Amino acid sequence: MAKPTYEELENKVRVLELRVGHLHLLEKELRSLEAQFSLVEKQLRQRQRMDSLGTLAQGVAHDFNNILSGIMAYLNLLSLADDNFSPSQKAYVQNIVNSVKRGAATVKQFQNLSNRAVSPKENIDIYTVAQEVFLLLEKTTDKLIEKRLDIEKDRVFVCADINEIHQVFMNLATNAVHAIEAKGLKKGDRIRLSVNAETRKSADLQYLPRGEYYEFLFEDTGIGMPEAVLEKAFDPLFTTKTGPENTGQGLGLAMVKDIITKRHEGHIEVDSSPGRGTVFHIFLPKADDACGLEEPPAVIQGGSGTILIVDDDPSVRESLQRALEDFGYRIIPAGDGEEGLARFKENAGAVNLVLLDMIMPKMPGRELLKQMLKIDPDVKVIISSGHDEGHFEDPIIKSAKNYLKKPFEITVLEKAIRQVLDQKGCSA
Ligand SMILES: Nc1ncnc2c1ncn2[C@@H]1O[C@H](COP(=O)(O)OP(=O)(O)OP(=O)(O)O)[C@@H](O)[C@H]1O
Ligand SMILES: [Mg+2]
């Protein structure tokens, strides 16, 4: 075989060099694919955790909503008969009502982790919400920790859900106290909430949609977070609190982030390092005139007519029966779907309205509604459920006249009942 010429060798080297170049390019490409893959994998894992969390949340939320509904209905009855109460007793009742509403908001938050329902926003004074949290902190934590609320009353208004913002501050405050305790409490320790005097335009904050934002700073002088914790702090179910006296669920910051970014189209970031403490920066939309144009509160007027209440929870059923009977309605109670259908048939033509729970043993609410529609296509139904019904496209569900999310105030239910019964074609 003839020896290759110098040019031939040079050509071969060039081809080889080109191939090596290609290999480098391929390797780079592969690395970037690998990085993308691990990101997707991480997101998927988070999604799976959220899904199982969601299923669990729906079950717990359902039971809690029923419990809260019972308490709410009895509280409403109490406050309607409060002539004999002293002013402080009236205030106590109102405080319990507020707590029940907060409880309901917490339950809703759990549901929202897997379910994107939109809640009403109003024009809220951040001071009022923060002050409540700081008062609680003052009463329940060591005096050595200085609590500073550097926000003036009547000055800073955001467009937000008041209960959710309360939850945000409670979670951040609880974490702050834990962080200070974990470091070892000493003089000079501080938890502080302040606001940047200048509002920021979303144009300067590229990640935010539109309008003007307030920047809040929630600071503590606690143990701080190393990089590895910082990276995962907002992940659902991530916690470092595994000790015997302080176990965490790892849900606090996941909820905080969800509330701020998804529910309020805001933004949250955290700045922290071990020994330096932690600062959360929270951006929330500044309130404008269009925020919180709420309906005026409903007033009880009472009425007449026969209402079939189908709910498997005795405390919900009985409290609603008591309240609605007080307002002049005749009530037929039923404890499950089958009983509901039997009562509906027995009282054919006499039932003016059905108040229907969705999740029940034996026959679920949807099936009962389907059966009732076969008997009377014009049956008037108000659905009362602990879930944000995700299937409003379902023609059976759509046939209902109204939908109330548990727990609701009796005034709201009564107004909904009147609206349905006052519609033309009702004999009540
Ligand atoms: N202010 C803080 N200072 C130091 N570390 C914090 C702070 N806030 C949160 N962390 C860290 O982030 C983790 C996640 O916080 P998160 O509030 O989500 O869950 P948790 O407090 O552990 O449990 P849960 O809030 O559900 O009771 C904490 O376990 C902690 O390690
Ligand atoms: Mg927490």
Side-chain angles (χ1 to χ4, degrees), residues 113-387:
L113 275 174
S114 61
N115 190 347
R116 301 265 74 82
V118 183
S119 60
K121 308 271 190 306
E122 32 177 356
N123 204 324
I124 63 169
D125 183 357
I126 277 287
Y127 171 85
T128 330
V129 192
Q131 198 232 16
E132 223 177 279
V133 174
F134 273 70
L135 265 179
L136 199 70
L137 272 185
E138 201 60 68
K139 285 193 184 145
T140 53
T141 61
D142 201 299
K143 294 274 171 290
L144 259 188
I145 307 177
E146 182 198 1
K147 292 93 182 171
R148 266 175 65 178
L149 174 56
D150 285 337
I151 296 178
E152 283 177 56
K153 194 173 183 325
D154 294 330
R155 287 292 286 277
V156 183
F157 290 87
V158 293
C159 184
D161 177 318
I162 191 163
N163 290 314
E164 292 183 350
I165 299 303
H166 186 273
Q167 244 182 303
V168 166
F169 290 151
M170 269 315 284
N171 271 304
L172 294 179
T174 312
N175 283 348
V177 173
H178 287 161
I180 290 174
E181 286 169 353
K183 181 207 59 177
L185 179 60
K186 60 176 171 36
K187 206 160 171 272
D189 273 330
R190 189 177 67 232
I191 299 174
R192 174 171 184 242
L193 175 62
S194 59
V195 65
N196 228 326
E198 299 282 313
T199 55
R200 306 266 291 271
K201 292 258 188 318
S202 52
D204 316 329
L205 307 159
Q206 278 145 20
Y207 31 77
L208 293 179
R210 65 202 133 65
E212 269 182 278
Y213 287 78
Y214 276 115
E215 180 186 8
F216 298 95
L217 292 99
F218 203 109
E219 299 167 56
D220 69 64
T221 53
I223 191 167
M225 287 181 251
E227 199 58 42
V229 173
L230 209 51
E231 263 176 23
K232 295 210 169 100
F234 290 104
D235 285 3
L237 303 185
F238 172 79
T239 180
T240 57
K241 299 171 190 169
T242 49
E245 74 289 346
N246 188 9
T247 42
Q249 305 290 309
L251 284 176
L253 287 183
M255 278 199 201
V256 166
K257 184 163 185 180
D258 196 80
I259 293 176
I260 300 294
T261 60
K262 303 244 171 69
R263 323 263 311 147
H264 291 88
E265 297 189 296
H267 178 72
I268 181 163
E269 44 192 67
V270 52
D271 184 12
S272 179
S273 60
R276 205 164 45 87
T278 300
V279 189
F280 286 91
H281 300 255
I282 302 161
F283 296 88
L284 279 173
K286 184 176 180 223
D288 60 26
D289 296 342
C291 175
L293 295 173
E294 291 263 300
E295 275 190 40
V299 189
I300 295 283
Q301 286 182 8
S304 60
T306 299
I307 302 173
L308 171 62
I309 299 180
V310 194
D311 199 309
D312 62 318
D313 191 299
S315 70
V316 174
R317 209 171 53 236
E318 283 157 23
S319 56
L320 290 178
Q321 171 166 10
R322 286 275 301 276
L324 292 175
E325 279 174 351
D326 279 358
F327 304 146
Y329 300 97
R330 188 170 88 87
I331 302 299
I332 305 170
D336 59 56
E338 282 179 3
E339 196 191 341
L341 187 58
R343 295 285 103 80
F344 188 71
K345 284 179 179 164
E346 274 166 30
N347 295 277
V351 174
N352 303 112
L353 187 138
V354 184
L355 184 65
L356 182 61
D357 187 22
M358 280 284 105
I359 298 176
M360 290 183 294
K362 293 192 187 163
M363 185 191 284
R366 185 187 176 279
E367 182 56 29
L368 173 56
L369 179 50
K370 195 172 151 195
Q371 299 297 330
M372 289 191 299
L373 282 167
K374 278 189 196 159
I375 299 168
D376 175 8
D378 294 325
V379 59
K380 293 186 167 56
V381 172
I382 296 179
I383 291 177
S384 81
S385 174
H387 288 267

